[in-house]
Amino acid sequence: MSRDDAESEEPQGQPEQLALIRETVREHKARRPRAKPRTWRGAELAARLPVARVLVDKGLAHLDRFFDYAVPAAMDEEAQPGVRVRVRFGAGEREGRREGGGLINGFIVERRADTDFTGRLAPLAQVLSPEPVLGPELLQLCRAVADRYAGSLADVVQLAVPPRRARVEKQPSARRPPRPQPPAPGGWTRYPQGPAFLEALAGKGAPRAVWTALPGPHGWADELARAMATTLAAGRGALAVLPDGKSAARVDAALTALVGEGQHVLLTADAGPEPRYRRWLAVSRGAVRAVVGTRAAMFAPVRRLGLAAIWEDGDSGHSEERAPQPHAREVLIQRAVTEQAAFLLGAHGCTVEAAQLVESGFARPLAADRETVRAVMPRVRTAAEGDEGRDPAARSARLPSMAWHTARDALERGPVLVQVPRRGYVLRLVCERCREPARCAHCAGPLQATGEGTALRCAWCARETPEWRCPMCAGTRLRGSVIGARRTAEELGRAFPSVPVRTSGGEHILESVPGRPALVVATPGAEPVPEGDGYAAALLLDGWALLGRPDLRAGEEALRRWMGAASLVRPQGEGGTVVLVAEEGMRPVQALVRWDPAGHALRELADRAELGFPPVSRMAAVTGPPDAVEALLTSAQEAGLPEGAQVLGPVPLPVVEPGRPRRPGDPPPGELWERALVRVPRGSGAPLAAALKTALAGRLARREGPVPHVRVDPLDIG
DNA sequence: TACGGCTCTGAA
DNA sequence: TCAGAGCCGTAG
């Protein structure tokens, strides 16, 4: 039946009545939501502190300030700092007449005796709930995050305070349970500084550590939980931020095993809004002192925070997508400093940022000695690509023969992990002879092929390099290969016909696999955790693809992925072996063989310092329509870019490939946008953000057309 | 955010 | 000439 048929299906004889009913419903709908709340004009005001300073829930840069409202006497009691309110906002006072302006949500940040506003204050329209959800500490944190990222306070508050659920607010939170007993140090005794770190936590100190976790599929989650439990036992709160729900659930379970239920909550997106708000409220009310969660939990208002911890800070899951796109590591550092809490950054690998925290003296390294590392790490061997030997089985699987033999032997003893590259990596240009990345002579940005011919253009400053010559080996030929057909699970299955093959990646991610012999094919980051003592072996087949990505972090990221997989493999004493298919001489390959992620990160850091890259410098990306970008840069200059600021570009932005969801800062379909990078010396991040913020606010206030997107610490410079 | 005020349009 | 639609500017 077509739509038209359905519409003509009205009962015969009463169309007028139906029309009448429809009309009434429409009128009703039109009228009901417009019902104006009482205007409090002329109403009696609160006797004490009759002014409420309000943060209006609007993330516009030029409205990033507080507004004062009068507090009607009837709201005096509930209108406390931190509560959600509704206020009239908009439409000014003209010729003595004030009317209109829409109702908008906000938060009271302060009750005051007076105002510096010269006009007449509008009254608060409504106190939405007496629950103080935006306390002074959380407000201060949000302000600091907004300032660091050139964002507005309202935007950050929106990330930090979950939307209200009235039903949940009415329920009281359970009473806070008594302090747990301090746990035994457990696996921390494997690290020379481990027990001392726990003792500092127990003594309410604020130690800061970059923890290079020993390999092993299960140790780290328990150790992280022990650090939290130690903090709880000392009477302070603890917060751990994990890159995904899966790892958060593991730490949550480990913490439950140590301190039981009731001491902590798990804050992840997959819990659903209502349970999530219930847990968040329990934290906000102080009924729960410990939080394990994914990135939104970085703002959790844990009382008397004693430990702020992050696991795998290199994982992209730690970077918030919504404006102003703060990173969990930076937010937790901020909290550790202002709330005088301990800071623990743990990972199997080591990011350049983590190395810098150590280098700058902010944090101390917390790592095991070489002997311990060697005892628990798997044996790591490299194999050259295409080194298939004469072995027909290896050839058919397109595996280097050593990888094939390793897998075959290991399959007698347990599961074997095979890490394969994901589709769609774009490769960067490197010297064909020595694999040195091709860089711009002017700003050291990455060079890109322009298409036809040999012209190379810098992806940062757009300058062309007509004749490139490798600064390391004087080579003149470049390599930038394309990903061909990938080894598939089927090919492997044919090479090992008697073994079950399981796959994990993309939409279909396996959380864990049994400890029985099986081939487990996974893309990086989707490796299932093996039950029992780990994989018998791992084959890392994606070396060249990971290393060839056109990203500043390619090496670091490759090593992180390899270490993530290799950490799931048994110690070499138990036969655990990792075969990495990659060029032996490359730095990240060497770092894996020696199991030295911190050393690798330090060397990367030195390189970045030499080239002026983050995190040694601070960068911000400005993206938008060409004239908007240019105008914003000009007004940022006028607002006062810090000494030594350098503008790179702008360059045209690649069009977002169809199908990929648009992220903030991406051009809308069909529009040609540009991106400029602003680089300042380390330590000048604050004035850089301030200048950009001023420029944004000016452009918004003057309504000069489209407003560019600003991102501090852009991820994909590269 | 949603209101008042302004301009623009089309029909009488 | 006027009513209505739609956009703009505003912000306690």
Side-chain angles (χ1 to χ4, degrees), chain A residues 179-254:
Chain A
R179 283 186 202 183
Q181 289 298 309
W188 285 111
T189 54
R190 302 185 295 164
Y191 305 84
Q193 306 303 320
F197 184 79
L198 292 189
E199 274 161 37
L201 291 178
K204 302 192 189 195
R208 299 166 182 163
V210 167
W211 166 36
T212 306
L214 283 164
H218 307 293
W220 66 269
D222 180 67
E223 283 145 25
L224 192 47
R226 277 174 204 273
M228 296 183 78
T230 306
T231 311
L232 279 174
R236 294 202 297 174
L239 166 62
V241 179
L242 290 294
D244 50 62
K246 202 171 72 173
S247 50
R250 293 181 67 192
V251 175
D252 180 64

Side-chain angles (χ1 to χ4, degrees), chain A residues 153-319:
Chain A
L153 178 59
D155 277 347
V156 180
V157 167
Q158 207 151 48
L159 299 177
V161 180
R164 180 168 120 89
R165 297 262 144 183
R167 198 177 345 158
V168 176
E169 255 174 23
K170 291 199 190 88
Q171 305 157 351
S173 298
R175 274 179 65 96
R176 172 142 50 91
R179 283 186 202 183
Q181 289 298 309
W188 285 111
T189 54
R190 302 185 295 164
Y191 305 84
Q193 306 303 320
F197 184 79
L198 292 189
E199 274 161 37
L201 291 178
K204 302 192 189 195
R208 299 166 182 163
V210 167
W211 166 36
T212 306
L214 283 164
H218 307 293
W220 66 269
D222 180 67
E223 283 145 25
L224 192 47
R226 277 174 204 273
M228 296 183 78
T230 306
T231 311
L232 279 174
R236 294 202 297 174
L239 166 62
V241 179
L242 290 294
D244 50 62
K246 202 171 72 173
S247 50
R250 293 181 67 192
V251 175
D252 180 64
L255 190 52
T256 304
L258 287 170
V259 301
E261 309 274 352
Q263 301 277 357
H264 61 293
V265 289
L266 176 63
L267 283 185
T268 56
D270 25 277
E274 229 169 82
R276 194 154 176 224
Y277 191 54
R278 184 174 299 116
R279 295 172 194 179
W280 188 90
L281 268 189
V283 178
S284 172
R285 289 167 173 173
V288 155
R289 277 270 180 85
V291 173
V292 178
T294 43
R295 67 176 178 241
M298 62 189 168
F299 292 107
V302 175
R303 299 272 180 93
R304 293 187 59 201
L305 187 70
L307 171 66
I310 181 168
W311 174 252
E312 281 290 344
D313 66 312
D315 193 294
S316 60
H318 283 304
S319 188

Side-chain angles (χ1 to χ4, degrees), chain A residues 88-111:
Chain A
R88 286 212 169 275
F89 190 68
E93 193 151 344
R94 249 165 306 175
E95 278 110 51
R97 304 201 50 188
R98 108 162 340 282
E99 256 321 309
L103 282 170
I104 187 171
N105 289 351
F107 300 86
I108 295 181
V109 296
E110 190 188 354
R111 283 285 296 269

Side-chain angles (χ1 to χ4, degrees), chain A residues 30 128 246 542:
Chain A
L128 278 172
K246 202 171 72 173
D542 58 352

Side-chain angles (χ1 to χ4, degrees), chain A residues 312-315 329 345 347 349-356 553 556 560 597 601-602:
Chain A
E312 281 290 344
D313 66 312
D315 193 294
R329 177 186 51 238
L345 182 159
C350 185
T351 58
V352 180
E353 284 82 1
Q356 194 188 33
R553 296 179 173 279
E556 172 189 321
R560 191 177 78 76
L602 267 177

Side-chain angles (χ1 to χ4, degrees), chain A residues 225-524:
Chain A
R226 277 174 204 273
M228 296 183 78
T230 306
T231 311
L232 279 174
R236 294 202 297 174
L239 166 62
V241 179
L242 290 294
D244 50 62
K246 202 171 72 173
S247 50
R250 293 181 67 192
V251 175
D252 180 64
L255 190 52
T256 304
L258 287 170
V259 301
E261 309 274 352
Q263 301 277 357
H264 61 293
V265 289
L266 176 63
L267 283 185
T268 56
D270 25 277
E274 229 169 82
R276 194 154 176 224
Y277 191 54
R278 184 174 299 116
R279 295 172 194 179
W280 188 90
L281 268 189
V283 178
S284 172
R285 289 167 173 173
V288 155
R289 277 270 180 85
V291 173
V292 178
T294 43
R295 67 176 178 241
M298 62 189 168
F299 292 107
V302 175
R303 299 272 180 93
R304 293 187 59 201
L305 187 70
L307 171 66
I310 181 168
W311 174 252
E312 281 290 344
D313 66 312
D315 193 294
S316 60
H318 283 304
S319 188
E320 173 60 57
E321 291 267 292
R322 289 171 291 166
Q325 301 169 284
H327 193 285
R329 177 186 51 238
E330 305 306 314
V331 173
L332 292 182
I333 287 172
Q334 174 71 38
R335 292 190 71 164
V337 171
T338 54
E339 298 175 47
Q340 291 164 46
F343 176 74
L344 178 63
L345 182 159
H348 283 125
C350 185
T351 58
V352 180
E353 284 82 1
Q356 194 188 33
L357 291 175
V358 172
E359 253 250 319
S360 69
F362 178 87
R364 307 263 296 266
L366 180 40
D369 50 39
R370 291 305 307 170
E371 212 175 305
T372 312
V373 173
R374 270 195 293 271
V376 291
M377 70 179 272
R379 181 168 134 98
V380 181
R381 309 183 63 184
T382 59
E385 208 184 320
D387 186 10
E388 284 146 26
R390 297 211 186 84
D391 211 316
R395 292 185 85 92
S396 81
R398 284 188 281 153
L399 285 175
S401 90
M402 194 247 287
W404 187 83
H405 279 110
T406 302
R408 195 195 54 187
D409 294 350
L411 280 168
E412 311 261 310
R413 289 171 283 117
V416 170
L417 176 67
V418 184
Q419 194 184 51
V420 296
R422 264 188 307 210
R423 288 174 188 282
Y425 285 138
V426 186
L427 300 190
R428 78 182 329 167
L429 295 172
V430 295
C431 172
E432 193 183 59
R433 204 179 326 165
C434 74
R435 300 292 146 84
E436 175 74 11
R439 296 204 164 278
C440 170
H442 172 74
C443 75
L447 294 181
Q448 291 177 332
T450 48
E452 295 302 302
T454 52
L456 300 170
R457 187 165 59 202
C458 173
W460 288 2
C461 74
R463 279 185 178 76
E464 300 219 329
T465 302
E467 276 176 47
W468 177 83
R469 175 172 282 258
C470 176
M472 303 305 284
C473 74
T476 53
R477 293 174 66 94
L478 288 161
R479 165 184 147 138
S481 43
V482 191
I483 294 180
R486 285 295 80 213
R487 299 164 178 86
T488 60
E490 286 148 42
E491 282 177 326
L492 288 165
R494 252 178 276 135
F496 300 99
S498 59
V499 180
V501 181
R502 316 202 51 188
T503 59
S504 176
E507 304 283 284
H508 225 80
I509 292 180
L510 288 174
E511 280 197 26
S512 63
V513 290
R516 294 188 295 274
L519 273 170
V520 181
V521 181
T523 53

